[in-house]
Amino acid sequence: MSAFKPVRRKFTAREAAERLGVTTRTVQRLMAEPREQYLARANTKREQVAQLRTEGLSVRAIAEKLEISKSTVGRYVQEYEKIN
């Protein structure tokens, strides 16, 4: 089961559960982004990271540009470099 209208949360499942008086698992189940959408979004980020890295940008610059963490960018770069 996944959310009918998935929206990126700005709070944790635990915080939502406490506010609503339900379990954390209930919030996760109802608010979850469908796996296919998550993978598509993640793969798009991976492609953007690979493209920016081939343009010569640093991990820090890529992270700032895409608004993701440096560790995520570093992991994507390692995955990309392992393949190529």
Side-chain angles (χ1 to χ4, degrees):
M1 178 177 188
S2 62
F4 295 108
K5 294 183 180 182
V7 176
R8 303 286 315 258
R9 295 192 299 255
K10 299 198 184 331
F11 46 85
T12 66
R14 180 179 291 166
E15 291 169 341
E18 289 173 0
R19 289 181 195 171
L20 299 172
V22 296
T23 65
T24 302
R25 181 67 187 123
T26 298
V27 172
Q28 291 170 337
R29 192 174 64 248
L30 294 174
M31 299 293 290
E33 177 179 27
R35 184 82 177 154
E36 298 79 29
Q37 289 179 8
Y38 165 77
L39 291 174
R41 189 170 45 81
N43 288 334
T44 300
K45 288 284 186 196
R46 283 181 173 89
E47 292 168 5
Q48 291 173 331
V49 167
Q51 178 62 37
L52 293 171
R53 188 63 174 182
T54 57
E55 293 174 8
L57 269 67
S58 68
V59 170
R60 177 175 283 170
I62 295 169
E64 289 173 1
K65 184 173 184 123
L66 298 179
E67 298 179 350
I68 57 179
S69 71
K70 291 184 295 186
S71 61
T72 300
V73 172
R75 189 176 71 241
Y76 289 170
V77 167
Q78 285 180 341
E79 290 173 3
Y80 174 75
E81 290 176 350
K82 190 183 290 187
I83 293 171
N84 295 320

